[in-house]
Amino acid sequence: PGTLDILDATPATLRAMLEHVPQVCIDTAGAEGWSPRDVVVHLASRQRPALIGRLTMIVEQDHPLLPDIPDDAIPGGYSLRDQSFPAIMAEFAAVRTEAMTLVRSLSGDQLARTARHETAGEVSAADIVHHIAYHDLVHIAQINALLRDPIDRARGAMRIFT
């Protein structure tokens, strides 16, 4: 329950979190090396191969082999990263809308179709959809932490409170 709602809401959630944040906050990487910009580029860049591509393969082929789609160690390798942040957000929203059109068009039988992921093993189309929603939530939390941590360090003695 809620999976499609999460997928639908992620672009607007990220826009609400980031649209009034200073650019320096969007471009500053945290300890793990990713900035909020990197995270949104990562999400936008993975929609076609990880969601649309995999679902299309599962629906159109009998039990296909789904390739793993590893990330580079530094997410700045994506060409989208050099665009303005509003353009990156617009691209993510557009490709997510495209993905959701596909997801909503799938029947129960199509969502039950399976494939073999080269790393995860046996997966269904529904597993892919649920994974992407989970993946969104992980990265929303990551952006939250990236925005929260510098403010937390500036709270002085008030850090005793959550």
Side-chain angles (χ1 to χ4, degrees), residues 22-140:
Q23 194 65 44
V24 66
C25 295
I26 290 170
D27 292 332
T28 299
E32 76 288 348
W34 288 47
S35 68
R37 171 187 292 274
D38 295 325
V39 174
V40 177
V41 166
H42 166 79
L43 290 170
S45 298
R46 294 185 65 82
Q47 292 306 291
R48 284 194 177 89
L51 183 53
I52 297 169
R54 287 177 176 161
L55 291 177
T56 300
M57 286 178 69
I58 292 172
V59 169
E60 294 178 353
Q61 300 173 31
D62 289 329
H63 205 68
L65 175 63
L66 302 179
D68 190 33
I69 306 169
D71 285 326
D72 297 321
I74 300 171
Y78 298 113
S79 61
L80 186 59
R81 191 181 194 292
D82 295 328
Q83 294 187 22
S84 71
F85 194 69
I88 296 167
M89 291 297 298
E91 173 64 17
F92 178 47
V95 73
R96 178 52 64 87
T97 297
E98 178 185 339
M100 291 309 296
T101 298
L102 172 61
V103 169
R104 290 188 189 290
S105 76
L106 299 178
S107 68
D109 287 344
Q110 288 172 316
L111 287 166
R113 288 179 60 92
T114 60
R116 187 170 57 85
H117 185 281
E118 71 178 353
T119 304
E122 184 87 12
V123 297
S124 69
D127 293 340
I128 300 294
V129 173
H130 290 291
H131 172 70
I132 297 298
Y134 173 84
H135 182 255
D136 282 3
L137 293 172
V138 166
H139 285 301
I140 289 168

